[in-house]
């Protein structure tokens, strides 16, 4: 054998750590549901165009300086003592990551 298991392990670790964190997108019909949710549920507080309302703006330009983990925690668990509710019962962690990626990909105005 020319390649040891150690090499294979190291190679696969390299592969997985450089692969995009959001490799698995939700299926198309779930994406439609999620987009509707973003507009209607999130939009009810963050504004229909997500420019901000009761909650802060969720436009890409206002989120780029925040870490994915911080945004993930906010969306999954909400913010205690504020109007931001936890969305864990409705969207999985993977779907939340997709949400964040979708928000960050919005065109800048
Ligand atoms: C009932 C109102 C309400 C709804 C509905 C709501 N939010 Fe929020 N959200 C807030 C408020 C208020 C804050 C600010 C909390 C604070 O002061 O720390 C917030 C904060 C956030 C933040 C952090 C922004 C930042 O700049 O730190 C993110 C991200 C976010 N919301 C995403 C979402 C998403 C995604 C949805 C829909 C799945 C959603 N919110 C639905 C009220 C809401």
């Amino acid at each position: 054998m020319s390649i040891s298991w150690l090499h294979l392990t190291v190679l696969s670790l390299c592969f997985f750590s450089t692969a995009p964190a959001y490799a698995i997108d939700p299926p198309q019909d779930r994406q439609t549901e999620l987009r509707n949710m973003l507009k209607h549920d999130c939009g009810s507080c963050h504004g229909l165009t997500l420019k901000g309302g009761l909650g802060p703006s969720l436009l890409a330009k206002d989120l780029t300086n925040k870490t994915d983990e911080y945004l993930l925690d906010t969306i999954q668990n909400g913010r205690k003592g504020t109007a931001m509710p936890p969305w864990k019962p409705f969207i999985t962690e993977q779907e939340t990551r997709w949400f964040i990626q979708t928000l960050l990909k919005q065109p800048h105005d």
Side-chain angles (χ1 to χ4, degrees):
M1 238 196 344
S2 54
I3 302 178
S4 72
W5 283 112
L6 180 65
H7 281 115
L8 279 179
T9 309
V10 170
L11 275 174
S12 56
L13 281 178
C14 290
F15 174 74
F16 286 117
S17 57
T18 54
Y22 315 106
I24 309 161
D25 279 346
Q28 213 56 47
D29 47 347
R30 180 62 176 155
Q31 285 192 26
T32 306
E33 269 174 39
L34 291 171
R35 282 186 205 281
N36 282 336
M37 190 174 169
L38 196 57
K39 199 164 164 191
H40 299 289
D41 294 279
C42 315
S44 65
C45 284
H46 291 275
L48 204 58
T49 54
L50 303 176
K51 278 191 180 134
L54 174 66
S57 155
L58 297 181
L59 297 180
K61 65 179 168 64
D62 298 307
L63 294 181
T64 41
N65 58 348
K66 296 173 183 156
T67 67
D68 285 4
E69 293 313 306
Y70 168 85
L71 296 172
L72 180 74
D73 181 60
T74 301
I75 300 171
Q76 283 275 283
N77 304 312
R79 291 256 180 90
K80 285 208 171 62
T82 78
M84 176 62 184
W87 293 91
K88 216 184 221 159
F90 311 104
I91 47 177
T92 65
E93 182 177 324
Q94 186 63 43
E95 288 169 345
T96 307
R97 289 187 185 279
W98 179 84
F99 250 170
I100 296 167
Q101 195 199 25
T102 302
L103 288 170
L104 291 173
K105 276 198 305 212
Q106 293 169 114
H108 290 237
D109 58 0

